[in-house]
Amino acid sequence: MSQSGAPEHKGATLSARPWTIALSGAAVAAVLAAVTLPGSWSTPELWAVGLLLVGLLFTESVQFDVEFRDQTISLSPTEVAVVVGLVEVGGFWTAAARAVAVVAVLLWQHWPPPKIVFNIALSVAEVCVALAVLSVMPPLRIEEPVSWLSLVLAVLATGLVSMVGVSYAVALTDGWPGWKLPLAAAPNLALGPLSVVVGVIALLLTRQTSWTWALIVPLVLSFVAIFRQSARARRDRATVQQVYDFARRVELVTPDEAGTRDIVRAVRELLNADRVALWLPPYLDDGPQLVVDSADGDLSWYDGPGDPDDLLRRRAVTRETGRPVLTSLARADEAEAAALTRRGAREVLGAPVTTAAGEPGYLEVCDRRSDVVTFGDGDRGALESMLTHVNAAIRQQQLLSQIRHDADHDRLTGLPNRQRLAAEIDALLAADPADARAGLVLAALDGYTDVTDTLGHAASDELLLVTAGLLREHAPPQAVVARMEGGQFAVLLPGLSLQATERAARRLREAASTRARVAGLDLEVSLTIGVAAAPVHGSDAGTLIQRADVALLAAHTSAGVATYHPVLDQQSLRRLQLGTELETAMAEGQISVVFQPIIDSRTADIVSVETLVRWHHPRYGDIPPEDFISLAEQIGRIGLLTDHVLGLALDRCRRWLDQDIALSVAVNLSARCLVEPDLVDRIRSALREHGVPGELLTLELTEGSVVDDTVRNSTVLADLHALGLRLSMDDFGTGYSSLSQLRLLPIDELKIDKSFVLGMSTSQNESFIARSIVELAHNLGLRVVAEGVEDEVTRDLLAQMGCDKLQGFLVSRPLPEDRLEGWLLARTGVRSAPPGATHRRLFVRT
């Protein structure tokens, strides 16, 4: 026998409603009964009808459930009892007893009323069709083989009626099922003839002697046991095959959200569930993910799986065994019932999912589509087997996501890299080619190379992380922050005009200008920024990035922020060419030095000459020192340039010594040179190579470089001072040094910045500042040099203040070596070596 029906669906058409199906089946059964049952009336013994009813109750309760969509086809060996009933008590009582047995069994199994009515009608219709077949065959004589054939045909007809009835219900509920449903019900057709054989044998033996029932009952029980065992084995084989098919299916899923949805759908179909949800924790750039698949196509979120405090989810995820947890409304306590009500579910299978990051996910299976069959231990085992493949598929997806993420993200900061940024720019501009606007900000971290060279890569990585955090924090919400390479970052600003991008760039620079604790030191974080915008400066990623990079190069020599302009292309090309020619220019003598004398304010002795670098380019002419010095710093050639200038200065000093004249030379030292680990060794070697004592060399350092934490916390100044040379703080008054810092530094002299000196003759404030610097330096035991002295009034004021040395156009302009010699011959005299000294000195004649 097959039992089936359709659960009620909201919004179903009238013909598809369960009661409509049930009542239409009852109407057909009533017609068949009216035609066939009156002719089969008989008056059997009541005990015989009672025994038939007991047999039908037994066989109806032994079922093998086959699920098809939301239908359940229940197969049972009822035909054995039906064959006995047709022969012994007649069709009318067989139909009546079977109807009573169906009602009793289905009520005990809590089937819904429409299904009970439909299955009563189907069972009566099957008996009526069997009677109709027997009516056209010879009268039943159980001893004659032709009667056996008649019973086989009758039972086969009942199987066909059952199949048609079930197909009718499925077609009205879910649409025509095709050949899948007949194949699912095929075992019932094969069971019919076997049931006839068992029934006929039982009847033949019983007519020989009533004691035959002592043999028949064990035979029937054995038949039922074999039926149940084969049904269980078939179900197990089907489950194993389904799990195998499931494993093959999830192996082929794509590593994206569609693939995850395929996994969820495969779980739902294998367990014939109404709804399955998979929750995955955040991973890489993705937030938490909740994927739902439903039999009715409703994929909207429902309460429970995404709630970390949900009882069912928490119980499944924290369960130590890792096995699925089954919760059903029939055995639920108050809290469990509330959790099921949140989902609108009768039962839930919940299980943890293992992800690549180690944080557990959660898989939840709600309700079988059939309202007859419920989840059992077999389903828990099937889900447990599937979890192995689900976990592997999820981990594979996430690992592939990791590979893709690493391909277009910076591993250190987690920010998008250059390739990802370019893709984002092109996608943004391609979305609206006519009106798309976007700003691009390239930001270079100042001092990044110095930190790396001095403190190592771990410290520079820490500084990069701090900078990335600052940019993330202060960039607009819709911005894309990326790391390019080295100490360079980019910020893509969708929808911004050029003017708005410039304002945003300045805000970013101000917000990111701070001090950060890195490697135990307080380091200054500052950015140099180049700006470009689309469509003004380009309509594709390559052009926009290149032009922002050109602007960034220009920003190094401007106020820290520069916007692309076509004229910068030539400047950038010029800088590129100069960078490649720098070493050649030194070797060919294009880069030379000039000397500016420095005199003692009291004696007019020439105590030193400052060595200043110059570059006369064969194509570009004289190149301003600030241009190629900053270029040398950026391309890492400042050390070579410094060595070149130092060599020229010491060579000139050596030739003066050979003339028995002691004249000190001063060389400017870049802040970047102070962090070079071999600086002290190079200067020691240069002094030894030229045979110049250390006291005849003065290194001029900028105020900012001297008070920098990296320099202050190193021994480089002390090591230089130990060579016997003098250290001079250049441009004093423009930086941020304090009295306490000066007291702790091994500095020999201060050079008052010319911005204060030039205005002394006309401004009392400037004079007051200069006087304060002189007094401060003398109190600290330092000598003072004033640069920018251009008139006699200023010279006299400085002399009155006690300034030790003077430098400026009043004394001499910077002169190349040949002109310096002429100036020395024309303007200076020679003093004899003072007591204790070995060399003569030059003085300026008045």
Side-chain angles (χ1 to χ4, degrees), residues 65 67 168 173 222 248 260 279 442 596 609 615 699 702 724:
D65 295 322
E67 293 179 82
Y168 164 74
T173 305
S222 300
R248 296 183 60 188
T260 307
W279 180 87
L442 286 188
Q596 187 172 27
V609 290
W615 186 355
L699 296 180
T702 61

Side-chain angles (χ1 to χ4, degrees), residues 610-749:
E610 181 175 3
T611 309
L612 303 171
V613 65
R614 297 291 186 267
W615 186 355
H616 182 77
H617 194 279
R619 179 183 304 175
Y620 300 125
D622 292 330
I623 301 172
E626 58 271 17
D627 285 358
F628 64 86
I629 290 175
S630 64
L631 175 62
E633 289 178 332
Q634 292 172 28
I635 65 175
R637 296 292 185 271
I638 189 62
L640 292 175
L641 182 60
T642 301
D643 292 346
H644 179 72
V645 174
L646 180 63
L648 294 176
L650 293 177
D651 179 70
R652 177 68 268 184
C653 184
R654 177 69 258 175
R655 281 184 279 140
W656 280 324
L657 284 174
D658 292 341
Q659 299 172 20
D660 197 28
I661 295 174
L663 192 56
S664 174
V665 289
V667 176
N668 289 280
L669 200 62
S670 167
R672 292 183 181 268
C673 290
L674 288 175
V675 297
E676 294 175 342
D678 61 343
L679 173 66
V680 178
D681 292 335
R682 293 192 343 251
I683 293 178
R684 181 188 293 113
S685 298
L687 289 171
R688 186 182 299 118
E689 178 185 350
H690 292 89
V692 175
E695 60 266 19
L696 292 183
L697 174 63
T698 300
L699 296 180
E700 296 189 1
L701 316 171
T702 61
E703 183 178 359
S705 68
V706 171
V707 301
D708 183 81
D709 287 336
T710 305
V711 175
R712 275 197 305 118
N713 289 283
S714 69
T715 62
V716 62
L717 296 181
D719 293 341
L720 289 173
H721 206 263
L723 296 178
L725 52 80
R726 292 180 175 85
L727 297 179
S728 176
M729 183 181 288
D730 199 7
D731 302 330
F732 183 77
T734 60
Y736 304 96
S737 56
S738 65
L739 181 62
S740 61
Q741 289 174 324
L742 290 176
R743 181 172 54 83
L744 298 174
L745 293 172
I747 300 297
D748 298 290
E749 70 180 23

Side-chain angles (χ1 to χ4, degrees), residues 374-555:
T374 59
F375 292 130
D377 290 337
D379 300 303
R380 293 178 63 185
L383 181 58
E384 189 171 8
S385 299
M386 284 188 287
L387 280 176
T388 303
H389 305 288
V390 171
N391 291 336
I394 295 299
R395 287 197 298 270
Q396 181 182 8
Q397 283 188 312
Q398 292 186 335
L399 290 175
L400 289 173
S401 298
Q402 177 76 60
I403 293 172
R404 290 199 306 269
H405 181 275
D406 291 345
D408 57 14
H409 283 76
D410 174 52
R411 186 177 292 273
L412 174 66
T413 62
L415 296 175
N417 59 17
R418 176 184 288 271
Q419 290 77 13
R420 176 67 178 273
L421 176 69
E424 293 281 352
I425 295 173
D426 284 335
L428 178 64
L429 299 181
D432 188 5
D435 300 320
R437 296 192 303 178
L440 181 63
V441 173
L442 286 188
L445 180 57
D446 298 335
Y448 169 73
T449 304
D450 297 339
V451 173
T452 304
D453 294 341
T454 307
L455 301 177
H457 288 284
S460 61
D461 287 348
E462 190 176 348
L463 185 59
L464 287 172
L465 289 171
V466 170
T467 307
L470 289 170
L471 290 174
R472 278 197 189 104
E473 178 182 356
H474 297 289
Q478 73 277 14
V480 177
V481 181
R483 183 190 172 197
M484 306 299 276
E485 58 274 321
Q488 193 175 109
F489 295 85
V491 181
L492 175 63
L493 302 166
L496 265 62
S497 64
L498 176 58
Q499 292 74 17
T501 303
E502 290 173 336
R503 291 193 295 269
R506 291 188 178 90
R507 286 196 297 269
L508 274 175
R509 188 169 188 266
E510 292 172 2
S513 297
T514 183
R515 298 187 72 84
R517 192 75 175 172
V518 175
L521 302 175
D522 289 328
L523 300 184
E524 190 76 27
V525 179
S526 61
L527 300 175
T528 300
I529 288 179
V531 175
V536 180
H537 298 141
S539 57
D540 63 87
T543 302
L544 208 59
I545 293 175
Q546 184 266 331
R547 291 179 172 175
D549 205 20
V550 170
L552 179 61
L553 288 174

Side-chain angles (χ1 to χ4, degrees), residues 176 225 289 332 395 403 577 582 658 698 712 817 838-841:
W176 174 243
Q289 185 180 16
R395 287 197 298 270
I403 293 172
Q577 185 172 356
L582 190 61
D658 292 341
T698 300
R712 275 197 305 118
E817 185 175 353
T838 57
H839 299 286
R840 298 178 299 168
R841 301 184 66 85

Side-chain angles (χ1 to χ4, degrees), residues 42 146 164 170 180 329 359 426 444 463 591 626 715 776:
S42 64
V146 66
V164 171
V170 172
K180 292 183 179 180
L329 196 59
E359 186 176 354
D426 284 335
L463 185 59
I591 296 180
E626 58 271 17
T715 62
L776 169 64

